[in-house]
Amino acid sequence: VEEHGSCVPCALLSCSLVFFFQSSFFFNTVLAFYHSSGSAPFLDIIILAAMWCCVSIPLVFVGAFFGYKAEAISFPTVTSTIARAIAEPQLLL
């Protein structure tokens, strides 16, 4: 149960969602304050945010459910334990 706890913050606080809606809400408020025709109605922004959350948040939980049920990936190669020297790169100017 503890390993599944990271799904909730990931779903609710994804960077793209928070940054997009904060910045668009801020700029829309400024445009509405100046009575610009470029501002969107606030109800439309709330509807858009609700639609985004109703799609994005359930998909995070569905992906986490199937991801935790899946088997771990096993790579088809074996990594050598012998240390090898790596040559210094040449300057190409």
Side-chain angles (χ1 to χ4, degrees):
V1 175
E2 196 170 303
E3 60 195 22
H4 297 108
S6 64
C7 295
V8 174
C10 180
L12 298 177
L13 300 174
S14 67
C15 294
S16 62
L17 176 73
V18 172
F19 177 74
F20 174 73
F21 285 116
Q22 281 181 349
S23 62
S24 65
F25 189 77
F26 171 74
F27 287 121
N28 191 50
T29 304
V30 171
L31 288 173
F33 180 73
Y34 286 114
H35 303 292
S36 172
S37 62
S39 67
F42 285 107
L43 183 62
D44 289 354
I45 292 177
I46 293 171
I47 290 171
L48 183 65
M51 287 171 50
W52 181 279
C53 290
C54 290
V55 172
S56 177
I57 292 174
L59 283 177
V60 168
F61 290 116
V62 168
F65 174 75
F66 287 115
Y68 285 124
K69 280 181 56 174
E71 295 178 9
I73 297 173
S74 62
F75 297 104
T77 60
V78 179
T79 305
S80 176
T81 57
I82 301 171
R84 301 196 181 186
I86 298 174
E88 288 291 325
Q90 296 176 354
L91 272 167
L92 300 174
L93 291 178

